[in-house]
Amino acid sequence: MSDEITEHPDRPQRGQVLFAALFLICATLLLAAIEGQTKWLKGKDFFAQPRFWPAIGVGGMVLFTALHFWHLPRKPRRLPRWMREADWFQWAESLFWAVLAIGLALWLGPISAAPMVFLVAIIRVTWLYQHWTDRREAKIWASVFEWAGWFLAYVLLVPLIGYLPVTIAFSLILTWRVGYRSRLMMWSAGVFAVTVVLVFKSFLQVKIPGAALYEYLPGALRSFFILNF
């Protein structure tokens, strides 16, 4: 959660409802999968069963996270005016969740569907009580996927385009992305990228595959780039 704290007494800290809901959803999915992932062996002592301690651990996660989630200070989400004034929408929304729960029970069976119905209840309560600050916090959490995407793109492009050009390009792009956009910083990023390539590929001779693009260079130049860049 970010450092900014909501001081309103009727609301938890920003993102706390979302975090508790996500943790409870994960714990519920683990509990639902425990029958298929663990075994109950005939003739074995109760406390020595392979399923016993995983069930205690995952069950405790569900129980205590549910208690924490339930005791969080909650303030009903302020819906748009047309939703608040439209009785049909509230009926339709409640009917949707009920039909979903009943459908799961009929499809999976009452016992197997119990964790899934509980999961549906978690999602519904979260939808009703989330605050706009929770959605803003979720965007901050989701921003980590952008940087993972940059890293994956870098790894995928190096064997295609080359260690040197990709490193220079990504250094310049990411320097611009984080807000350092002066001419000095851009030149510094370029020099840093060249230095990294020279140290790792030319000096330390780290084994990095030659780029497919280098295959189109003339013979001597091709070998030079594959060995050094």
Side-chain angles (χ1 to χ4, degrees), residues 89-111:
F89 178 83
Q90 298 177 29
W91 277 99
E93 189 267 341
S94 300
L95 183 63
F96 167 77
W97 294 111
V99 169
L100 183 59
I102 294 171
L104 286 171
L106 293 175
W107 180 36
L108 301 174
I111 297 177

mmCIF file of all heavy atoms in Angstrom, residues 89-111:
data_model
loop_
_atom_site.group_PDB
_atom_site.id
_atom_site.type_symbol
_atom_site.label_atom_id
_atom_site.label_comp_id
_atom_site.label_asym_id
_atom_site.label_seq_id
_atom_site.Cartn_x
_atom_site.Cartn_y
_atom_site.Cartn_z
ATOM 1 N N PHE A 89 -32.284 -2.210 -11.148
ATOM 2 C CA PHE A 89 -30.860 -2.517 -11.219
ATOM 3 C C PHE A 89 -30.407 -3.249 -9.962
ATOM 4 O O PHE A 89 -29.647 -4.214 -10.031
ATOM 5 C CB PHE A 89 -30.045 -1.233 -11.390
ATOM 6 C CG PHE A 89 -28.559 -1.466 -11.427
ATOM 7 C CD1 PHE A 89 -27.931 -1.848 -12.603
ATOM 8 C CD2 PHE A 89 -27.794 -1.323 -10.276
ATOM 9 C CE1 PHE A 89 -26.569 -2.083 -12.633
ATOM 10 C CE2 PHE A 89 -26.434 -1.561 -10.300
ATOM 11 C CZ PHE A 89 -25.824 -1.940 -11.482
ATOM 12 N N GLN A 90 -30.880 -2.805 -8.798
ATOM 13 C CA GLN A 90 -30.497 -3.463 -7.558
ATOM 14 C C GLN A 90 -31.029 -4.893 -7.516
ATOM 15 O O GLN A 90 -30.347 -5.818 -7.064
ATOM 16 C CB GLN A 90 -31.013 -2.650 -6.371
ATOM 17 C CG GLN A 90 -30.410 -1.241 -6.305
ATOM 18 C CD GLN A 90 -30.990 -0.426 -5.163
ATOM 19 O OE1 GLN A 90 -31.396 -0.975 -4.159
ATOM 20 N NE2 GLN A 90 -31.020 0.888 -5.323
ATOM 21 N N TRP A 91 -32.270 -5.087 -7.988
ATOM 22 C CA TRP A 91 -32.825 -6.430 -8.057
ATOM 23 C C TRP A 91 -32.020 -7.295 -9.025
ATOM 24 O O TRP A 91 -31.709 -8.448 -8.734
ATOM 25 C CB TRP A 91 -34.288 -6.364 -8.503
ATOM 26 C CG TRP A 91 -35.238 -6.071 -7.388
ATOM 27 C CD1 TRP A 91 -35.795 -4.874 -7.060
ATOM 28 C CD2 TRP A 91 -35.736 -7.008 -6.433
ATOM 29 N NE1 TRP A 91 -36.603 -4.976 -5.974
ATOM 30 C CE2 TRP A 91 -36.603 -6.287 -5.561
ATOM 31 C CE3 TRP A 91 -35.560 -8.374 -6.222
ATOM 32 C CZ2 TRP A 91 -37.266 -6.895 -4.507
ATOM 33 C CZ3 TRP A 91 -36.228 -8.984 -5.167
ATOM 34 C CH2 TRP A 91 -37.062 -8.244 -4.324
ATOM 35 N N ALA A 92 -31.682 -6.735 -10.173
ATOM 36 C CA ALA A 92 -30.934 -7.492 -11.185
ATOM 37 C C ALA A 92 -29.542 -7.853 -10.679
ATOM 38 O O ALA A 92 -29.055 -8.971 -10.910
ATOM 39 C CB ALA A 92 -30.839 -6.681 -12.474
ATOM 40 N N GLU A 93 -28.913 -6.907 -9.970
ATOM 41 C CA GLU A 93 -27.564 -7.174 -9.443
ATOM 42 C C GLU A 93 -27.600 -8.284 -8.410
ATOM 43 O O GLU A 93 -26.777 -9.209 -8.432
ATOM 44 C CB GLU A 93 -27.009 -5.869 -8.854
ATOM 45 C CG GLU A 93 -25.541 -5.937 -8.466
ATOM 46 C CD GLU A 93 -25.348 -6.314 -7.008
ATOM 47 O OE1 GLU A 93 -26.313 -6.168 -6.229
ATOM 48 O OE2 GLU A 93 -24.246 -6.757 -6.654
ATOM 49 N N SER A 94 -28.574 -8.241 -7.495
ATOM 50 C CA SER A 94 -28.700 -9.294 -6.477
ATOM 51 C C SER A 94 -29.051 -10.632 -7.118
ATOM 52 O O SER A 94 -28.528 -11.684 -6.724
ATOM 53 C CB SER A 94 -29.777 -8.899 -5.450
ATOM 54 O OG SER A 94 -29.435 -7.691 -4.805
ATOM 55 N N LEU A 95 -29.929 -10.596 -8.124
ATOM 56 C CA LEU A 95 -30.323 -11.819 -8.800
ATOM 57 C C LEU A 95 -29.148 -12.453 -9.535
ATOM 58 O O LEU A 95 -29.001 -13.684 -9.558
ATOM 59 C CB LEU A 95 -31.462 -11.521 -9.777
ATOM 60 C CG LEU A 95 -32.050 -12.728 -10.531
ATOM 61 C CD1 LEU A 95 -32.681 -13.704 -9.545
ATOM 62 C CD2 LEU A 95 -33.077 -12.256 -11.553
ATOM 63 N N PHE A 96 -28.275 -11.621 -10.116
ATOM 64 C CA PHE A 96 -27.107 -12.130 -10.830
ATOM 65 C C PHE A 96 -26.214 -12.949 -9.900
ATOM 66 O O PHE A 96 -25.813 -14.069 -10.230
ATOM 67 C CB PHE A 96 -26.320 -10.971 -11.433
ATOM 68 C CG PHE A 96 -24.954 -11.361 -11.923
ATOM 69 C CD1 PHE A 96 -24.799 -12.036 -13.126
ATOM 70 C CD2 PHE A 96 -23.821 -11.064 -11.170
ATOM 71 C CE1 PHE A 96 -23.538 -12.410 -13.569
ATOM 72 C CE2 PHE A 96 -22.562 -11.436 -11.613
ATOM 73 C CZ PHE A 96 -22.421 -12.109 -12.809
ATOM 74 N N TRP A 97 -25.902 -12.395 -8.714
ATOM 75 C CA TRP A 97 -25.038 -13.105 -7.778
ATOM 76 C C TRP A 97 -25.707 -14.373 -7.264
ATOM 77 O O TRP A 97 -25.054 -15.403 -7.081
ATOM 78 C CB TRP A 97 -24.665 -12.191 -6.615
ATOM 79 C CG TRP A 97 -23.814 -11.029 -7.020
ATOM 80 C CD1 TRP A 97 -24.171 -9.712 -7.049
ATOM 81 C CD2 TRP A 97 -22.456 -11.077 -7.479
ATOM 82 N NE1 TRP A 97 -23.118 -8.936 -7.495
ATOM 83 C CE2 TRP A 97 -22.056 -9.748 -7.753
ATOM 84 C CE3 TRP A 97 -21.538 -12.105 -7.671
ATOM 85 C CZ2 TRP A 97 -20.797 -9.425 -8.215
ATOM 86 C CZ3 TRP A 97 -20.263 -11.792 -8.126
ATOM 87 C CH2 TRP A 97 -19.902 -10.460 -8.401
ATOM 88 N N ALA A 98 -27.015 -14.312 -7.029
ATOM 89 C CA ALA A 98 -27.727 -15.498 -6.552
ATOM 90 C C ALA A 98 -27.729 -16.606 -7.598
ATOM 91 O O ALA A 98 -27.483 -17.779 -7.283
ATOM 92 C CB ALA A 98 -29.158 -15.120 -6.176
ATOM 93 N N VAL A 99 -28.001 -16.251 -8.843
ATOM 94 C CA VAL A 99 -28.010 -17.247 -9.927
ATOM 95 C C VAL A 99 -26.619 -17.847 -10.112
ATOM 96 O O VAL A 99 -26.470 -19.056 -10.339
ATOM 97 C CB VAL A 99 -28.513 -16.602 -11.237
ATOM 98 C CG1 VAL A 99 -28.285 -17.531 -12.422
ATOM 99 C CG2 VAL A 99 -29.998 -16.259 -11.115
ATOM 100 N N LEU A 100 -25.596 -17.010 -9.993
ATOM 101 C CA LEU A 100 -24.228 -17.505 -10.127
ATOM 102 C C LEU A 100 -23.908 -18.517 -9.031
ATOM 103 O O LEU A 100 -23.322 -19.574 -9.297
ATOM 104 C CB LEU A 100 -23.246 -16.333 -10.071
ATOM 105 C CG LEU A 100 -21.761 -16.665 -10.257
ATOM 106 C CD1 LEU A 100 -21.514 -17.338 -11.600
ATOM 107 C CD2 LEU A 100 -20.923 -15.403 -10.126
ATOM 108 N N ALA A 101 -24.284 -18.208 -7.790
ATOM 109 C CA ALA A 101 -24.023 -19.123 -6.679
ATOM 110 C C ALA A 101 -24.788 -20.430 -6.848
ATOM 111 O O ALA A 101 -24.239 -21.525 -6.649
ATOM 112 C CB ALA A 101 -24.394 -18.447 -5.362
ATOM 113 N N ILE A 102 -26.071 -20.341 -7.228
ATOM 114 C CA ILE A 102 -26.873 -21.547 -7.421
ATOM 115 C C ILE A 102 -26.335 -22.384 -8.584
ATOM 116 O O ILE A 102 -26.279 -23.620 -8.517
ATOM 117 C CB ILE A 102 -28.347 -21.176 -7.660
ATOM 118 C CG1 ILE A 102 -28.937 -20.531 -6.395
ATOM 119 C CG2 ILE A 102 -29.166 -22.397 -8.055
ATOM 120 C CD1 ILE A 102 -30.317 -19.948 -6.597
ATOM 121 N N GLY A 103 -25.922 -21.722 -9.658
ATOM 122 C CA GLY A 103 -25.357 -22.439 -10.801
ATOM 123 C C GLY A 103 -24.099 -23.203 -10.430
ATOM 124 O O GLY A 103 -23.903 -24.344 -10.856
ATOM 125 N N LEU A 104 -23.241 -22.592 -9.620
ATOM 126 C CA LEU A 104 -22.035 -23.282 -9.166
ATOM 127 C C LEU A 104 -22.386 -24.498 -8.317
ATOM 128 O O LEU A 104 -21.765 -25.554 -8.434
ATOM 129 C CB LEU A 104 -21.154 -22.314 -8.371
ATOM 130 C CG LEU A 104 -20.397 -21.263 -9.173
ATOM 131 C CD1 LEU A 104 -19.753 -20.247 -8.248
ATOM 132 C CD2 LEU A 104 -19.343 -21.914 -10.068
ATOM 133 N N ALA A 105 -23.394 -24.331 -7.440
ATOM 134 C CA ALA A 105 -23.797 -25.445 -6.585
ATOM 135 C C ALA A 105 -24.341 -26.613 -7.406
ATOM 136 O O ALA A 105 -24.070 -27.778 -7.108
ATOM 137 C CB ALA A 105 -24.837 -24.967 -5.574
ATOM 138 N N LEU A 106 -25.123 -26.314 -8.442
ATOM 139 C CA LEU A 106 -25.678 -27.375 -9.280
ATOM 140 C C LEU A 106 -24.614 -28.028 -10.153
ATOM 141 O O LEU A 106 -24.678 -29.227 -10.438
ATOM 142 C CB LEU A 106 -26.790 -26.793 -10.164
ATOM 143 C CG LEU A 106 -28.056 -26.316 -9.424
ATOM 144 C CD1 LEU A 106 -29.011 -25.657 -10.406
ATOM 145 C CD2 LEU A 106 -28.729 -27.475 -8.702
ATOM 146 N N TRP A 107 -23.639 -27.249 -10.583
ATOM 147 C CA TRP A 107 -22.598 -27.756 -11.475
ATOM 148 C C TRP A 107 -21.561 -28.589 -10.729
ATOM 149 O O TRP A 107 -21.201 -29.698 -11.140
ATOM 150 C CB TRP A 107 -21.931 -26.584 -12.186
ATOM 151 C CG TRP A 107 -20.850 -26.976 -13.130
ATOM 152 C CD1 TRP A 107 -20.804 -28.087 -13.928
ATOM 153 C CD2 TRP A 107 -19.622 -26.268 -13.377
ATOM 154 N NE1 TRP A 107 -19.639 -28.122 -14.663
ATOM 155 C CE2 TRP A 107 -18.893 -27.008 -14.344
ATOM 156 C CE3 TRP A 107 -19.086 -25.080 -12.894
ATOM 157 C CZ2 TRP A 107 -17.658 -26.600 -14.815
ATOM 158 C CZ3 TRP A 107 -17.859 -24.665 -13.375
ATOM 159 C CH2 TRP A 107 -17.154 -25.414 -14.318
ATOM 160 N N LEU A 108 -21.096 -28.091 -9.578
ATOM 161 C CA LEU A 108 -20.019 -28.747 -8.842
ATOM 162 C C LEU A 108 -20.511 -29.647 -7.716
ATOM 163 O O LEU A 108 -19.744 -30.481 -7.216
ATOM 164 C CB LEU A 108 -19.069 -27.684 -8.265
ATOM 165 C CG LEU A 108 -18.392 -26.752 -9.273
ATOM 166 C CD1 LEU A 108 -17.616 -25.675 -8.540
ATOM 167 C CD2 LEU A 108 -17.474 -27.531 -10.208
ATOM 168 N N GLY A 109 -21.754 -29.447 -7.308
ATOM 169 C CA GLY A 109 -22.246 -30.169 -6.132
ATOM 170 C C GLY A 109 -22.143 -29.261 -4.918
ATOM 171 O O GLY A 109 -21.261 -28.392 -4.857
ATOM 172 N N PRO A 110 -23.003 -29.446 -3.908
ATOM 173 C CA PRO A 110 -23.054 -28.523 -2.769
ATOM 174 C C PRO A 110 -21.727 -28.379 -2.024
ATOM 175 O O PRO A 110 -21.317 -27.277 -1.686
ATOM 176 C CB PRO A 110 -24.141 -29.144 -1.871
ATOM 177 C CG PRO A 110 -24.955 -29.984 -2.787
ATOM 178 C CD PRO A 110 -24.026 -30.494 -3.835
ATOM 179 N N ILE A 111 -21.040 -29.510 -1.771
ATOM 180 C CA ILE A 111 -19.804 -29.447 -0.977
ATOM 181 C C ILE A 111 -18.671 -28.833 -1.786
ATOM 182 O O ILE A 111 -17.963 -27.923 -1.317
ATOM 183 C CB ILE A 111 -19.425 -30.852 -0.479
ATOM 184 C CG1 ILE A 111 -20.520 -31.383 0.462
ATOM 185 C CG2 ILE A 111 -18.077 -30.813 0.223
ATOM 186 C CD1 ILE A 111 -20.269 -32.786 0.950
#
